[in-house]
Amino acid sequence: MPSYEHLSELLDPAVTVLLTVECQQGVVGPDSALPELARQARSSGALANIARLVAAAHESGIQVIHALAERRPDGRGASRNARLFHAAERLPVQQLSGTTAVRVAPPIEVAEEDFVVRRLHGLSPIQGTDVDALLRNLGCRTLIVSGVSANVAIPNAVFDAVNRGYTAVVPTDAIAGVPADYTPAMIRHTLALVATLATTDEVLGCCKGPRRR
C-alpha cells in the first residue's frame, strides 16, 4: 500500500476524479439482472464503501462521474460481438434507457454537480464514451476507480485510464466481482501491476478538507 504522503499527493482534489462503474439498480440493486454480483457487492461492503467515497468526494470537492451501461428498448447500437452481450439480452432484467434499472443505486447519492455518463455499447466506461473528454476538461490527473465488476468493467476502466495517461487509484474494498475469491486474485495479479491500491479508509483519510472546486 502507498504511504499516506504519496496517496495524499495523488488525491489532490483539484486534479482527482472519482469514477463509479455500473453502480446502477439493475446491476447492484435488489432486483438486479445479476443477483450473484449484486449480493457480492453488498455483502462484501463494496457498495457501502462506494457510497462513503462519493459522500467524501462531495465534501472535499473531488468531481464524481457515474458511468452507467444501458441499452435502447429496440437494441439498436448495442454490441453483439461477445458472449457476454448475448447473455445479457436473455436476462430477465434489462438495462433499458429511462427505466429504474439504469438509475444509480442506493445508498450512493448523486449530487447536482456529478456527471452521469451512459453508454449503449462496449465493455468499458471510458473507451468510446464522454468520460475521457470530461476528465481532460476537468484537468484530471488521478482517477479513483470503484464499482463493478472486477471481472470485466473495472479492469477495462483501469487499463483505459492508464493508457490515456491518468494515474489510477483502486480502493480494493470498493470493487466487487464473482465469484468472491476472484476479486482479490484480480487485484493481486493484475490491478496491482498498473494501479495504486489502497483501502477505502486510506482514501478517505486523504480526502478530508475544505472544498476546493
Side-chain angles (χ1 to χ4, degrees), residues 14-108:
V15 296
T16 300
V17 172
L18 170 62
L19 179 70
T20 75
V21 179
E22 296 182 27
C23 294
Q24 56 204 70
Q25 295 199 39
V27 176
V28 296
D31 299 318
S32 169
L34 304 165
E36 183 182 1
L37 178 59
R39 283 193 297 271
Q40 185 58 32
R42 292 177 177 275
S43 65
S44 68
L47 191 61
N49 284 332
I50 296 164
R52 293 170 64 208
L53 289 167
V54 170
H58 292 158
E59 287 297 318
S60 64
I62 290 175
Q63 179 67 55
V64 180
I65 298 178
H66 305 280
L68 307 180
E70 61 182 50
R71 59 185 287 119
R72 288 166 47 120
D74 61 11
R76 289 174 64 85
S79 300
R80 294 185 173 83
N81 56 340
R83 290 175 58 193
L84 178 64
F85 302 130
H86 292 287
E89 290 178 347
R90 299 192 295 270
L91 291 174
V93 177
Q94 294 290 305
Q95 312 300 316
L96 299 181
S97 302
T99 67
T100 301
V102 293
R103 295 178 186 169
V104 175
I108 299 168

